[in-house]
Amino acid sequence: MCGIVGYIGTKTALPILLQGLRRLEYRGYDSAGVAIFDGARMQRTRAVGKIDQLSNAMGKSNWAGSSGIAHTRWATHGGVTEANAHPHIACSDDLVIVHNGIIENYRELKEKLGPAHRWTSETDTEVLAHLIESHYTGDLTRAVQTALSHVRGTYGLVAMHAQNPHTLIAARMGSPLVIGIGEGEHYVASDATPMLAYTKKVVFLADGEIAEIKRENVLIMNMKHEPVKKYVEEIDWDEAQAEKQGFPDFMLKEIFDQPSVFEDAIRGRIDVEQGTAHLGGINMTEDQMRAIDRVLFIACGTARHAGIIAKYAFERLVGIPAEVDVASEFRYRDPVLNEKTLVFGISQSGETADTLAALREARRKGALVRGIVNVVGSTIARETDGGTYIHAGPELAVASTKAFTNMVAIMLLYAIQFARLRRMTISTGIKLLNALKEVPRQMEHILEQNDCIKTYAEKYALYKNMLFLGRGINYPVALEGSLKLKEISYIHSEAFPGGEMKHGPIALISPDFPVVCVMTQNQLYDKMRSNVEEIRARGAHIILIATEGDAAARELADDVICVPETHELLEPLLNTIPLQLFAYHSAVVLGRDVDRPRNLAKSVTVE
Ligand code: AGP
């Protein structure tokens, strides 16, 4: 939710920290701040707004220090003000901390600390700073450990003290922290992106761990001060990959990334000869996979839409019951689970608090839990008993696009792998895999229509409301198209199954309520076509997603976007792309910040 960067080494810290914040702005960007030990004292500047505002606030100050911490904020406690921006200090300004997470008992802690303390903000983080200071007697690690023993909640925090400026203390509970391993220098951040320019060797802190980070070494302990053995991992993203590569923004780059990252998702995981898939990360024997009698997909937002597609695929191919749950609902209902229930947690960031909590609940209730995740070493990836990385590369735009299609790809491979252990024939498996291998080329073909889709977006951008309709496998496509539009253009939109219109929503239809209909050639084509005709009869403007060669489509709709034909279960991989582009161009026309839409964060690490 917020972005943290820390550096300690021999270089000047300031430019590294500011550039690192820019890499993390997608995590939250309503205010930012930096603190550096300049050789004599702790210097600190904060500003409301994005990193450019912080740079401006710093003016000519170019502190020469080589150790410091910085933070970009997405407000959870207290408004968007400079006083609430991090880094926070306590009574003296020797101690500075940055924090990502929520201290649930901060009010009680504040009361216990008492009125003697000088409070300058409304944040829970400031309470943490005072709590640490109240336990500081010269050893910052011990002070942080003692303070955190009184804390309930989540944190990824980095602290430093002017009396020992050559050590950063990092601690993690519920909010990710990654340590970058350099030569005579070390980095710490909320994810690996800010350090890729300097090192790809990283160590992921786990919950309950604390690190003393110095120039020459890093000591990782648990909260009882006992050393913990950790492994250095190698990130396979280079910084170029995380750049925009010539696109105006990350979102458009990531939409166009889809053909290549889709190939990354299936590469080495399909066995066309045997008509099956090999996803070793599932950590289950073939007998264990055969014994599964129910599958549950748990996720939020776009990831949940991928889960709905997975549900269709598992029911159709594997022939077992499959359900999809909103993570934030799952954890508070009374799910019936057992050792034959397989739960997939689907998450791009691997840090979504609702999904993580739901998976912990599912495991507590005896289900087998696996993760379908993009970010290597993320909490969900490490806490589940296996799973698969979707290999979508860094997805920096808040609106998820390439991660969605790669999640769908991986879930389809799982459905094939499970189905071939049961009733699916080799020829069916071969047909599906050959169709999957066609998808990147077909995606490229759709992306070539970018300019045409842009004209449609320009035509409809001033409408205040839109409806998205789909049936069967294209209902989650409609849901995803609607979410994309609303979250980046701020146009209100809703999605319904086509058959649901007559039960109420059709009352909305009028000439100023355009409707996007996914009407591709599949088993529900005729039903969907009737829905389109009902809407047309009431004068709505219609945008159709139709299969290439469908002559009738042009008579039904004002604007038609054609997609290649594919196996019905693979349609979402293609049909979603025009809707991503439609949402993107609508937002651009309206002058929105497409990579960082208002009120949203890339990784929602709080409930
Ligand atoms: C997607 O466009 C949204 N930004 C949001 O719904 C997102 O999919 C959701 O928060 C889940 O995130 P995750 O995949 O990282 O768990």
Side-chain angles (χ1 to χ4, degrees):
M1 174 99 63
C2 301
I4 288 174
V5 191
Y7 173 76
I8 189 158
T10 53
K11 301 187 185 87
T12 304
L14 185 58
I16 294 172
L17 295 173
L18 291 178
Q19 186 55 20
L21 287 184
R22 286 197 169 84
R23 295 256 177 279
L24 292 177
E25 268 192 318
Y26 70 86
R27 295 178 65 88
Y29 37 79
D30 54 47
S31 54
V34 62
I36 286 175
F37 183 75
D38 67 0
R41 57 187 291 272
M42 204 63 80
Q43 297 280 3
R44 181 179 65 140
T45 295
R46 299 174 293 169
V48 170
K50 295 182 179 171
I51 308 309
D52 290 345
Q53 275 70 30
L54 176 62
S55 294
N56 298 340
M58 297 206 61
K60 295 277 177 284
S61 45
N62 55 352
W63 307 322
S66 58
S67 59
I69 57 178
H71 184 275
T72 180
R73 183 172 182 247
W74 190 59
T76 51
H77 286 77
V80 177
T81 62
E82 183 180 327
N84 288 335
H86 303 208
H88 281 286
I89 60 175
C91 294
S92 89
D93 57 11
D94 282 347
L95 168 72
V96 286
I97 77 166
V98 289
H99 166 236
N100 177 20
I102 289 183
I103 308 299
E104 293 184 3
N105 61 332
Y106 80 99
R107 288 185 184 83
E108 329 161 7
L109 294 169
K110 190 167 184 174
E111 267 169 51
K112 276 188 195 146
L113 285 162
H117 288 259
R118 175 172 55 91
W119 303 102
T120 58
S121 85
E122 311 154 277
T123 67
D124 54 342
T125 305
E126 184 187 18
V127 176
L128 190 52
H130 284 267
L131 187 61
I132 293 169
E133 183 180 68
S134 70
H135 292 289
Y136 182 74
T137 55
D139 181 335
L140 187 56
T141 307
R142 297 278 185 184
V144 170
Q145 283 170 324
T146 308
L148 293 178
S149 68
H150 298 285
V151 158
R152 268 200 333 275
T154 60
Y155 50 81
L157 81 90
V158 183
M160 63 187 289
H161 200 289
Q163 289 174 13
N164 180 2
H166 305 303
T167 303
L168 303 184
I169 306 299
R172 178 210 155 127
M173 179 60 74
S175 292
L177 277 179
V178 186
I179 297 169
I181 309 298
E183 299 290 328
E185 60 183 12
H186 290 98
Y187 305 80
V188 58
S190 304
D191 69 35
T193 316
M195 51 192 76
L196 288 177
Y198 312 104
T199 180
K200 295 180 189 176
K201 295 187 185 323
V202 298
V203 172
F204 292 92
L205 273 192
D207 282 351
E209 291 178 348
I210 186 166
E212 275 180 0
I213 306 170
K214 300 176 189 290
R215 275 202 188 95
E216 294 309 326
N217 58 59
V218 176
L219 173 60
I220 297 177
M221 299 162 273
N222 60 24
M223 283 307 175
K224 295 192 215 94
H225 217 70
E226 298 157 347
V228 173
K229 177 101 180 93
K230 299 292 285 186
Y231 295 98
V232 176
E233 304 197 34
E234 185 93 18
I235 291 283
D236 60 1
W237 297 344
D238 57 34
E239 200 178 45
Q241 211 180 1
E243 285 306 324
K244 299 175 189 168
Q245 288 165 358
F247 286 92
D249 37 54
F250 284 117
M251 185 172 177
L252 193 59
K253 169 190 170 294
E254 289 156 8
I255 290 172
F256 276 78
D257 272 350
Q258 289 179 106
S260 63
V261 300
F262 182 91
E263 286 174 325
D264 294 344
I266 65 175
R267 183 174 297 115
R269 293 169 166 168
I270 61 175
D271 177 351
V272 179
E273 207 176 297
Q274 294 303 319
T276 189
H278 297 303
L279 295 159
I282 188 79
N283 282 347
M284 292 166 73
T285 64
E286 290 192 347
D287 285 342
Q288 284 172 321
M289 284 190 266
R290 286 189 194 96
I292 295 298
D293 63 8
R294 187 160 148 261
V295 179
L296 203 49
F297 302 98
I298 298 178
C300 304
T302 286
R304 183 179 75 90
H305 300 156
I308 300 172
I309 294 158
K311 164 191 162 65
Y312 283 105
F314 264 76
E315 288 180 340
R316 177 139 350 141
L317 300 180
V318 188
I320 57 176
E323 291 168 60
V324 190
D325 250 295
V326 173
S328 53
E329 290 295 304
F330 174 84
R331 56 189 298 206
Y332 298 111
R333 69 179 180 82
D334 300 301
V336 177
L337 306 170
N338 61 39
E339 74 289 348
K340 289 186 176 178
T341 307
L342 174 57
V343 169
F344 281 108
I346 310 173
S347 174
Q348 189 284 132
S349 63
E351 300 297 347
T352 300
D354 288 328
T355 306
L356 181 59
L359 296 175
R360 287 170 175 165
E361 187 64 12
R363 182 192 253 174
R364 196 177 291 120
K365 290 188 157 63
L368 297 177
V369 179
R370 298 295 183 269
I372 307 299
V373 171
N374 191 34
V375 178
V376 171
S378 57
T379 305
I380 290 176
R382 287 180 293 108
E383 287 207 6
T384 45
D385 303 311
T388 298
Y389 286 123
I390 66 172
H391 294 334
E395 184 176 75
L396 301 182
V398 167
S400 190
T401 51
K402 61 178 180 173
F404 171 75
T405 39
N406 271 30
M407 286 168 185
V408 173
I410 296 300
M411 298 318 301
L412 288 170
L413 292 186
Y414 268 121
I416 293 168
Q417 179 171 351
F418 275 72
R420 286 284 289 120
L421 296 172
R422 297 162 188 250
R423 58 185 195 171
M424 183 187 280
T425 64
I426 188 167
S427 61
T428 304
I430 291 170
K431 273 198 204 99
L432 275 166
L433 293 175
N434 283 331
L436 270 172
K437 286 169 63 180
E438 278 303 296
V439 163
R441 182 188 57 76
Q442 294 173 316
M443 286 177 162
E444 294 287 6
H445 181 65
I446 295 168
L447 290 167
E448 286 164 8
Q449 299 181 64
N450 181 42
D451 291 343
C452 165
I453 294 165
K454 180 180 175 193
T455 59
Y456 293 157
E458 288 162 348
K459 180 175 170 185
Y460 291 96
L462 298 182
Y463 284 93
K464 298 297 173 221
N465 302 284
M466 288 198 82
L467 216 50
F468 288 74
L469 300 183
R471 293 184 79 128
I473 199 74
N474 285 309
Y475 169 48
V477 173
L479 285 168
E480 178 58 14
S482 173
L483 176 61
K484 286 282 109 27
L485 183 69
K486 73 181 84 166
E487 71 174 329
I488 62 172
S489 73
Y490 316 148
I491 295 172
H492 169 249
S493 72
E494 292 185 75
F496 289 102
E500 195 57 11
M501 284 302 287
K502 53 190 175 297
H503 301 290
I506 202 162
L508 291 170
I509 296 306
S510 71
D512 57 9
F513 209 121
V515 185
V516 178
C517 300
V518 186
M519 190 190 79
T520 41
Q521 293 281 12
N522 60 34
Q523 60 173 330
L524 293 170
Y525 175 81
D526 292 336
K527 300 283 184 198
M528 192 63 218
R529 178 168 174 170
S530 308
N531 297 144
V532 173
E533 283 160 353
E534 284 158 18
I535 293 159
R536 183 179 166 78
R538 287 158 178 79
H541 295 292
I542 296 172
I543 302 171
L544 265 189
I545 309 296
T547 304
E548 283 168 354
D550 180 356
R554 300 241 175 247
E555 291 147 32
L556 280 172
D558 312 278
D559 305 298
V560 180
I561 303 167
C562 291
V563 295
E565 187 161 8
T566 185
H567 187 285
E568 183 171 319
L569 289 177
L570 277 54
E571 283 188 24
L573 296 165
L574 304 182
N575 300 349
T576 308
I577 293 180
L579 305 186
Q580 293 169 343
L581 289 171
F582 181 80
Y584 169 80
H585 289 298
S586 301
V588 169
V589 167
L590 293 170
R592 310 299 190 213
D593 184 340
V594 289
D595 282 344
R596 302 184 199 94
R598 69 185 181 197
N599 306 339
L600 291 176
K602 182 61 181 174
S603 177
V604 185
T605 55
V606 290
E607 269 199 56

